[in-house]
DNA sequence: CGCATGACGAAAT
DNA sequence: AATTTCGCCATGC
């Protein structure tokens, strides 16, 4: 039977992040069965050609967007996340821990 | 093989 | 809480 490559498992883990939610690079790596390989996740994303991949849902472990301030990527990622109802402020996603508020559980989206 | 690079992480400061 | 330091992993030269 065909074994999935590490890259395929990482991509699958990224695609598995639900809309409106986020995950850290290292977190994605662990979910793909590759603990300690956050940088591999980052490398794959940097070279990913698939526009369908929800790359914007992947952040640093501290909730920060990896792209530098003022960069196009930072702006685009912020835009995409907000479009899914994620609260982003100063290149930082809030609610990493308290991700599930009552409203999110009921409406699948944080309150206005 | 050694060294630099990078969409990283955890701990120390 | 923000930065710096150091560790890790995959690649490319």
């Amino acid at each position: 039977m065909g074994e999935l490559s590490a890259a395929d498992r990482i991509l699958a883990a990224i695609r598995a992040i639900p809309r409106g939610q986020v995950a850290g690079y290292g977190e994605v790596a662990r979910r793909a069965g590759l603990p300690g390989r956050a940088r591999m996740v980052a490398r794959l994303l940097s070279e990913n050609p698939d526009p369908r991949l929800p790359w914007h849902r992947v952040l640093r472990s501290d909730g920060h967007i990896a792209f530098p301030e003022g960069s196009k990527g930072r702006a685009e990622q912020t835009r995409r996340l907000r479009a899914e109802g994620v609260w982003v402020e100063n290149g930082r996603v809030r609610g990493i821990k308290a991700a599930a508020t009552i409203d999110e559980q009921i409406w699948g989206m944080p309150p206005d």
Side-chain angles (χ1 to χ4, degrees):
Chain A
M1 284 298 283
E3 284 292 303
L4 282 118
S5 68
D8 287 334
R9 293 202 306 278
I10 288 174
L11 292 176
I14 293 173
R15 285 188 261 261
I17 303 171
R19 198 164 183 293
Q21 293 193 224
V22 297
Y25 293 88
E27 195 180 342
V28 168
R30 285 194 299 279
R31 289 176 182 174
L34 300 165
R37 270 164 250 199
R39 300 195 95 125
M40 189 177 172
V41 173
R43 186 177 72 71
L44 276 173
L45 280 176
S46 72
E47 296 169 2
N48 160 64
D50 181 6
R52 261 192 346 143
L53 189 72
W55 57 269
H56 58 284
R57 296 179 192 151
V58 186
L59 315 164
R60 282 190 190 158
S61 62
D62 63 1
H64 264 115
I65 283 176
F67 295 110
E69 179 180 18
S71 67
K72 193 62 182 303
R74 168 99 151 237
E76 176 62 8
Q77 186 161 17
T78 298
R79 185 187 73 68
R80 290 190 179 212
L81 286 172
R82 284 176 173 160
E84 298 185 352
V86 177
W87 177 23
V88 187
E89 193 172 56
N90 295 319
R92 174 86 173 284
V93 167
R94 302 288 189 161
I96 289 296
K97 299 183 176 180
T101 62
I102 300 296
D103 293 276
E104 268 185 0
Q105 292 182 50
I106 299 177
W107 304 103
M109 179 179 294
D112 291 319

